[in-house]
Amino acid sequence: MDFQEIDAASSRGVDDTKQLLETVMHMPSASRYKVYLLDEVHMLSSSAFNALLKTLEEPAEHVKFIFATTETRKVPVTVLSRCQRFDLRRVDTETLIAHFNHVAEQESAKITEGAMALIGRASDGSVRDGLSLLDQAISHAGSSNGDTVSEEAIREMLGLADGGLIYDLFEASMQGKVDEALNIFNLLYDAGCLLY
């Protein structure tokens, strides 16, 4: 009741903001604060940001706003100057892998070390993206019915190149075997592979 998440990308107009600000006046029902999380806040219109300014200048004691965005430069300076800013960094791959292993264990999913390493690298420092990939991997590889998720299954799911083929491509290129190198490259390209 006292926590509200708002997708600013779909509720971006001044009318949406005014409707939100009407609820700000009410006291929290069970918690100490009413918390409003505006995700993708940079998507708000200029008039919506202007409507927020008065409340941000003199916020009620019982209200906290959290603005989340990946595009800070699109948030007006007048709004940024009234906020505390926390830049979240990407999570390192080792920490992600450890977390994903814990989640997989809780879900009774079996995943090889190599497969988990691929998921960790593909998540690019994002816990949310990595968990989505892990969920997809468990579903895709059939781990839910007892199978172990393999590195090959993850490569296929992510469209990644087989490391052996990459070495073959390099070797053929270095030996001047143009036709062989082009054939291997075309094989990788046709499979839609990314080179990780």
Side-chain angles (χ1 to χ4, degrees), residues 3 130 151 182:
F3 176 82
E151 188 173 343
L182 287 174

Side-chain angles (χ1 to χ4, degrees), residues 21-41:
L21 293 177
E22 286 175 14
T23 66
V24 166
M25 299 307 152
H26 304 293
M27 295 298 288
S29 40
S31 304
R32 185 173 171 191
Y33 298 107
K34 284 185 95 164
V35 179
Y36 295 91
L37 170 63
L38 278 77
D39 193 19
E40 301 295 335
V41 74

Side-chain angles (χ1 to χ4, degrees), residues 91 96 99-100 123-133:
V91 180
L96 285 174
H99 178 63
F100 299 155
S123 64
D124 196 29
S126 169
V127 177
R128 179 180 61 185
D129 292 350
L131 288 172
S132 294
L133 288 172

